[in-house]
Amino acid sequence: MMASNYSVTRSSGATKIAAFVGIMILVALIAAPLWAGRADMRLMGELFLYLALASLWNLMAGYAGLVSVGQQAYVGFGGYMLFALTMFGGLHPVLAIAIAGLLGAVISIPVALLIFRLRGAYFAIGTWVIAEVFRLSFAQVSTLGGGSGSSLPAGIVRSLADSRAGREHLSYWLALGSAAIVIAAVFLFLRSRNGLALTAIRDNELAAGSLGIDIWRTKFVVYIVTAALTAMIGALIFLQKLRISPDAAFSVNDWTAFVIFIVVIGGIGTLEGPIIGTLLFFLLRETLADLGTIYLMVLGAVAIVIMLKAPNGIWGLIRNRFDIELFPLSYRVKPAQKD
């Protein structure tokens, strides 16, 4: 047996088929204004934003081991920055979304320096406390509506597009683009040298440290990037809602609990998991929404059953059963092709 008889590759038949199908689906979704109704586009836009949030939380918790229950801090921060930059800074909403991301990165640096001193459950509790501090702080800002919140002025809304249909199409494309960019960014990051270090940390933090990987710096970069992109998604969310209040912006239920549910049932620590989890979450929500609080009880029961029966989520079951992956991240050894 010689090494030259084998080759190392990341792609497979499944990844090539998945790439082709993914491009076809993306093209169809870009053309959605031609075939989808207003309600369908609004629902799909919401789905894309949740997919982006879940992919970011999965990168942080599933790969870096930073289990945060306070990501609503950056969702709300991004939303409030959108309102402040457009209402008082006079910026176009799209430019304000980008700047909200930069400000999210800036504000996350002192937060990270503080909560990175905590470990395990204390880290999770610390992130929730920080989010509450954000909520209480913005509730005191009277120029942004204080505790009752504020609505986006009509002039700023009309700056997006002249017609209502144009504004809805732009909001939809921004949501679709954010999900596509986040998934592509996470994919490219995991294929990079830093991504390889992050994967090593996920598999065995002690062994990764012994190999010379700077664990603190790697996690710090992941936290800052995740905070920046989460703030941009938060700005997009409240650009669609056109109104913001402290309770809505920093809702732990909407922006963290549901996101954790999506990642857990889909498969934590995989790129495919959040995609499957988001589709299942919206399927359950749209099917059971009329049942009131029973809907939340069903979600909880589904999460408990999956955590007990399939700790790696639905995608973990599929991957173990068929030994496939849709994104070419793992290295595979196969016999080399003869000339």
Side-chain angles (χ1 to χ4, degrees):
M1 181 181 298
M2 299 178 61
S4 59
N5 294 332
Y6 296 88
S7 62
V8 178
T9 180
R10 280 178 154 172
S11 63
S12 65
T15 60
K16 294 175 182 175
I17 294 173
F20 176 77
V21 173
I23 292 173
M24 293 297 103
I25 292 175
L26 182 60
V27 171
L29 291 175
I30 292 173
L34 300 177
W35 54 264
R38 179 175 294 168
D40 296 329
M41 288 179 57
R42 191 175 298 116
L43 178 63
M44 288 191 291
E46 188 181 3
L47 185 151
F48 298 144
L49 293 174
Y50 264 99
L51 173 58
L53 288 177
S55 297
L56 291 170
W57 191 87
N58 178 56
L59 174 66
M60 193 171 60
Y63 286 92
L66 299 170
V67 182
S68 168
V69 294
Q71 283 307 94
Q72 69 273 18
Y74 299 107
V75 174
F77 180 83
Y80 268 104
M81 289 302 101
L82 168 75
F83 275 61
L85 291 169
T86 53
M87 292 168 60
F88 308 123
L91 299 182
H92 189 277
V94 176
L95 178 59
I97 291 172
I99 296 179
L102 293 176
L103 295 174
V106 171
I107 198 68
S108 68
I109 292 175
V111 172
L113 294 175
L114 176 63
I115 63 173
F116 271 37
R117 295 172 178 270
L118 307 174
R119 293 289 181 272
Y122 294 104
F123 175 86
I125 295 171
T127 59
W128 178 77
V129 171
I130 292 293
E132 283 299 293
V133 171
F134 274 43
R135 184 181 69 83
L136 295 172
S137 300
F138 279 102
Q140 305 304 315
V141 183
S142 58
T143 53
L144 289 171
S148 59
S150 177
S151 297
L152 209 57
I156 295 174
V157 177
R158 281 196 291 269
S159 69
L160 286 170
D162 294 332
S163 64
R164 179 178 177 179
R167 292 192 291 272
E168 290 177 344
H169 294 170
L170 180 59
S171 295
Y172 169 82
W173 284 323
L174 287 174
L176 173 61
S178 67
I181 289 173
V182 165
I183 292 175
V186 173
F187 171 69
L188 294 174
F189 178 77
L190 291 176
R191 283 179 65 99
S192 69
R193 183 182 178 87
N194 289 328
L196 188 62
L198 192 62
T199 304
I201 293 173
R202 177 198 62 179
D203 294 339
N204 192 317
E205 186 170 323
L206 183 62
S210 67
L211 292 173
I213 295 174
D214 190 335
I215 295 174
W216 191 94
R217 186 177 65 85
T218 303
K219 290 186 175 184
F220 182 77
V221 171
V222 169
Y223 186 85
I224 302 302
V225 172
T226 301
L229 293 175
T230 301
M232 293 180 68
I233 303 300
L236 263 175
I237 289 172
F238 288 96
L239 179 62
Q240 291 188 344
K241 294 182 178 295
L242 303 180
R243 177 168 176 77
I244 194 168
S245 68
D247 290 341
F250 299 98
S251 170
V252 64
N253 205 37
D254 290 340
W255 312 127
T256 298
F258 287 158
V259 167
I260 294 175
F261 173 83
I262 288 170
V263 175
V264 167
I265 64 172
I268 191 168
T270 64
L271 266 177
E272 297 87 348
I275 298 174
I276 294 174
T278 304
L279 294 175
L280 182 58
F281 170 70
F282 273 80
L283 177 64
L284 290 172
R285 197 188 75 169
E286 295 304 307
T287 304
L288 306 173
D290 294 337
L291 299 179
T293 55
I294 296 178
Y295 150 67
L296 295 175
M297 295 169 65
V298 172
L299 288 185
V302 170
I304 291 172
V305 169
I306 290 182
M307 283 188 287
L308 289 175
K309 299 297 183 183
N312 294 322
I314 295 173
W315 178 250
L317 281 178
I318 297 173
R319 185 178 58 184
N320 294 337
R321 176 67 177 83
F322 300 103
D323 189 27
I324 62 170
E325 62 179 4
L326 303 182
F327 293 90
L329 292 174
S330 302
Y331 287 100
R332 295 170 179 270
V333 179
K334 65 180 184 180
Q337 293 182 350
K338 296 182 179 179
D339 297 332

